[in-house]
Amino acid sequence: MSHFDSPEFLKGMGGKFRPTPPIDMTKASISRVYSYLLGGKDHFAVDRAMADYAEDAVPGVTDLALGNRAFVQRAVRFLAQERGMRQFLDIGSGLPSDGNVHEIAHESAPDARVVYIDNDPIVLAHARALLADDHTTIVVTADLTDPDDILAKAQESGLIDLSRPVALILGGILHHLHDHQDPGGLTAQLRDSLVPGSHLAVSHFLRPPAEEYPVDHRHAVKLEEAFLAKLSTGVWRPYEDIRGYFGDWTMFDPGVVPLNEWRPTPGSAKPGSYLMPERNHRLIGGGVAHKE
């Protein structure tokens, strides 16, 4: 019996833990497309077709997936090593791959506890197998559009104590919400539920200003059209929108920037050292902030 099937875990989840739902192999999944772009094995033909469609629209789109993962790795290492964070809540975690949040956090803080949140049933299915013996890390099925459910399940897991600072990771997830779903309001609800000393890391598809970067701006428009056509999701937003997700929290230098520019570690062999080629690096941005 795995940790996730144990009576103790099921009791800790307040009876909300359910068997893995059926997986629809006829519809592309964000998690599986991302896995394909990262070189993973957990994807179907429909996911590969979606990724190839986006690659045809703007060659080099794979760079965005690799750059996003590298940013999250650098941010988590910063939060664990330099900020002393020991609780991580990663929403929209996607399928497991090398250099996940718990692996990076455990490099310097073996006692760090990580709760992954995702709404894709295949993520839960793989996590049950891969994390069966890891009692500091779990994956919980929930959706970003229901912050109350996320926070309740994180607390009920026994790994997150909301009375203590939490590092909230929103890596490449907010751009999959449309404006009418109010990603800013949902993020604010999560921020407001965290105590002082908490941190927030966000990465998001970036639409550079047309007057400064006309080519990058056109690429952002093409990619948004491709994602919306095939996935009905994927919005490229300007700097000011991304900055707004941090509310009045204090930004760490260099603020909201293209991900390549957020505390790069050139020449390092550590996960997170990857930097995107010049051609598309302005199409995804982000930053890290803390609550005083």
Side-chain angles (χ1 to χ4, degrees), residues 24 27-34 46-47 95 120 122 231:
D24 185 354
K27 183 179 179 182
S29 153
I30 295 298
S31 297
R32 298 193 306 264
V33 170
Y34 192 60
V46 66
D47 307 304
L95 285 157
D120 189 332
I122 198 171
L231 287 171

Side-chain angles (χ1 to χ4, degrees), residues 243-262:
R243 176 61 182 87
Y245 294 133
F246 295 96
D248 61 356
W249 288 25
T250 302
M251 298 294 306
F252 292 103
D253 290 336
V256 174
V257 293
L259 298 187
N260 271 8
E261 299 174 21
W262 198 88

Side-chain angles (χ1 to χ4, degrees), residues 3-19:
H3 168 56
F4 301 104
D5 295 314
S6 68
E8 292 79 9
F9 178 74
L10 294 173
K11 181 179 179 181
M13 289 305 296
K16 296 183 179 180
F17 196 75
R18 297 288 184 268

Side-chain angles (χ1 to χ4, degrees), residues 202-226:
V202 173
S203 56
H204 193 293
F205 291 153
L206 176 61
R207 185 186 292 247
E211 61 276 13
E212 292 183 55
Y213 303 105
V215 174
D216 298 287
H217 183 86
R218 288 196 298 272
H219 284 176
V221 171
K222 286 184 179 180
L223 279 173
E224 182 172 286
E225 291 173 348

